[in-house]
Amino acid sequence: LKPFMAQGRIVGARTHLLFTTLLYAPDTMAAMAPIAPCVATVTGAMARPIAILPSEGRVLNVAGSKNGQRRLMAASILSVAAVASRTRGCAARGFAGRGAAMTRHCSASGASGTPTLHLGVVGYGLVGKELVSQVLRSAPGLFQEMGVKVEVVGVARSKSMVLLSSGGDTALAAGAWPGNEEPVDLEKLGQHVLAAANASGGRAMFVDNTASDEPAEFYAQWLAAGASVATPNKRAGSGPYARYEAILAAARSGGSRFLYEATVGAGLPIIAPLQTLLRAGDKVEAVEGIFSGTLSYIFNTWKPGMKFSDVVADAKAKGFTEPDPRDDLSGTDVARKVTILARELGLQLELGDVPVKSLVPASLQDWQPSAGANLGDSFVEELKAYDAEMDALITEAETAGEVLRFVGAVDPKTGTASVKLGRYAKDHPFAATQFADNIVAFDTTWYTPRPLVVQGPGAGAAVTAAGVHGNVVEVMTSLKSSTA
């Protein structure tokens, strides 16, 4: 601890808590060792501890003096300092067993001119267009703040793509599509983005906004070449475990970053707080949450006396459901998110290992509408035959003073995960959700007897793009630090 104490003073109860946290997080301690200048000075009265991290320009102000608040502060210090260690030391370090390969490299350390992040965007639908719009709007301000440029140099759709020269991304303003398109070729797109980064001495980054497996097959290749990858696409994190491991290994070997916060909660921070707790040495006992905005809306709206099929029809009319409502009611999307969180906790689960209690009646799972009929509308008509069965469930819950919620859960103790329709008391946090909220509760050693709860909008193009945009800014920040 001498290098830390030499750079600042650590006093009061936070000394013990920070030192204890370091002892319980040897990987983090090892990663922090070379970067004494990045370590926090912690001062302040017991009633109002303040953590100052001068090299990162961040101040964490935590009111109160309870152990949980002190530990949260210590966890935050460790998280920022660990990132700083990777930035200052430029070492390809990872945190074993934590799911994400949080590594980086120094490709821009000797660059001349302005450090630049070159983006390749795969998927140009609602989320892709919103992301590019956010990037273009924020680029001038971020350059003024950090001295780092960001530019989109390639965009791919399902059938076509455009490769742009430096400064050419203004052609994408307002969701426009440039005229110089060519057939989509993700191999060629990757080469173009990497070449742009090599030419400027900057860094490459790919963003996958699709729900397809095809781009995920390129993640390892891009990461190994030193490019970071950010995505809301759940296919890599919940797909074959062997591919998932290969992606993390490629990030470690390439000194790059695989960023996937938006896969679980869109713009809602779920993975990052979990990673922070794990790195700081907390032990997660259970994770449970409502991970579908569509199903959250349905169960927040549905009350005793209402027909379940009418609520599904309402959700469909308001655009919450997929064209085929079975894609939502089946629970598969929730199972993918639960699989991602389970792997974050070190469980080597496949998607097929997660049992799902589908809300689609067995007789309708393979059902098809008559020729020419609208699939969604026809399905809702068929669902009416099961209203009495669903009414019995909600009436029984109401009689017991409970509500119904469709939840996903991970149990690290048993190494299992599940997706089901559960009943919760009306004073439970899950009963207080509104509209289409997502919510997740982390039961941990530190957060007891009440769990750490994260709640808010978990769906929509704007918030999903915002979550990915946050990952872009993270990489820009590391680029700034590596060239400082």
Side-chain angles (χ1 to χ4, degrees):
L1 297 176
K2 289 181 180 178
F4 301 95
M5 298 181 69
Q7 297 297 326
R9 55 194 181 88
I10 303 177
V11 300
R14 271 90 48 216
T15 303
H16 171 72
L17 285 163
L18 180 56
F19 287 5
T20 300
T21 305
L22 289 170
L23 293 174
Y24 277 100
D27 290 339
T28 304
M29 182 64 179
M32 288 169 62
I35 47 90
C38 298
V39 176
T41 297
V42 182
T43 64
M46 285 287 290
R48 196 172 183 79
I50 300 174
I52 308 168
L53 296 107
S55 65
E56 295 298 307
R58 290 182 55 181
V59 177
L60 307 175
N61 197 336
V62 186
S65 60
K66 294 181 179 179
N67 284 341
Q69 293 169 318
R70 295 172 184 160
R71 285 172 176 144
L72 177 60
M73 184 186 71
S76 300
I77 293 170
L78 286 176
S79 178
V80 176
V83 171
S85 74
R86 293 190 296 276
T87 298
R88 300 294 181 182
C90 294
R93 296 187 181 89
F95 292 89
R98 298 308 188 212
M102 300 295 289
T103 58
R104 57 168 325 289
H105 69 307
C106 289
S107 63
S109 60
S112 59
T114 303
T116 303
L117 179 63
H118 303 269
L119 294 181
V121 177
V122 182
Y124 201 57
L126 289 176
V127 174
K129 289 179 181 178
E130 176 63 26
L131 172 66
V132 170
S133 177
Q134 291 182 15
V135 169
L136 295 180
R137 285 198 308 268
S138 66
L142 290 171
F143 177 70
Q144 185 175 10
E145 175 188 343
M146 296 190 289
V148 177
K149 289 175 59 179
V150 58
E151 59 182 25
V152 180
V153 295
V155 182
R157 301 191 297 192
S158 58
K159 302 296 183 182
S160 61
M161 68 179 186
V162 291
L163 304 180
L164 303 169
S165 59
S166 179
D169 56 7
T170 54
L172 299 168
W177 184 251
N180 58 330
E181 67 178 18
E182 57 185 273
V184 65
D185 182 342
L186 295 184
E187 182 77 35
K188 185 176 180 180
L189 174 71
Q191 292 171 354
H192 176 76
V193 177
L194 289 166
N198 289 333
S200 75
R203 188 162 298 151
M205 182 175 186
F206 295 90
V207 177
D208 172 19
N209 301 304
T210 75
S212 168
D213 265 312
E214 183 181 359
E217 293 294 335
F218 286 86
Y219 290 2
Q221 178 181 324
W222 293 335
L223 290 161
S228 293
V229 173
T231 184
N233 185 352
K234 294 175 279 293
R235 297 285 175 160
S238 63
Y241 194 83
R243 182 178 67 183
Y244 171 77
E245 280 197 314
I247 289 170
L248 300 186
R252 289 191 292 271
S253 67
S256 49
R257 301 184 69 183
F258 177 43
L259 301 162
Y260 48 94
E261 177 68 70
T263 58
V264 176
L268 198 63
I270 292 176
I271 290 176
L274 176 58
Q275 290 176 341
T276 296
L277 291 173
L278 292 173
R279 291 194 190 102
D282 199 359
K283 182 179 180 182
V284 177
E285 307 289 346
V287 179
E288 189 175 34
I290 298 171
F291 298 107
S292 166
T294 300
L295 294 174
S296 178
Y297 175 80
I298 287 174
F299 284 96
N300 286 334
T301 303
W302 186 33
K303 299 293 186 295
M306 300 173 66
K307 293 181 179 179
F308 184 71
S309 62
D310 287 343
V311 177
V312 174
D314 172 62
K316 177 182 175 298
K318 291 179 178 175
F320 282 107
T321 72
E322 296 293 331
D324 184 347
R326 290 176 296 184
D327 292 342
D328 301 292
L329 298 176
S330 68
T332 301
D333 184 68
V334 177
R336 289 191 179 279
K337 295 176 180 181
V338 166
T339 301
I340 291 169
L341 289 174
R343 291 176 177 181
E344 200 68 30
L345 292 168
L347 305 184
Q348 297 183 12
L349 295 184
E350 296 285 2
L351 181 62
D353 296 330
V354 181
V356 180
K357 179 61 176 177
S358 174
L359 295 174
V360 181
S363 62
L364 296 180
Q365 290 180 2
D366 297 319
W367 165 90
Q368 291 297 322
S370 57
N374 178 277
L375 191 155
D377 293 339
S378 298
F379 172 77
V380 171
E381 284 298 316
E382 296 293 325
L383 193 61
K384 290 181 178 180
Y386 301 88
D387 279 338
E389 180 180 330
M390 297 300 291
D391 183 67
L393 292 177
I394 196 169
T395 299
E396 183 179 347
E398 178 69 19
T399 302
E402 298 173 331
V403 297
L404 295 175
R405 294 292 185 263
F406 195 79
V407 301
V410 182
D411 186 347
K413 297 188 293 296
T414 61
T416 61
S418 62
V419 177
K420 63 182 181 179
L421 184 63
R423 286 170 41 171
Y424 297 87
K426 291 187 177 181
D427 61 353
H428 190 280
F430 291 1
T433 53
Q434 300 178 20
F435 198 60
D437 277 356
N438 279 13
I439 184 171
V440 59
F442 298 104
D443 283 296
T444 78
T445 300
W446 294 350
Y447 284 89
T448 186
R450 293 180 61 80
L452 170 64
V453 173
V454 182
Q455 178 178 352
V463 294
T464 301
V468 179
H469 189 210
N471 292 150
V472 172
V473 175
E474 283 184 62
V475 177
M476 291 177 68
T477 302
S478 66
L479 181 55
K480 169 194 173 183
S481 299
S482 67
T483 56

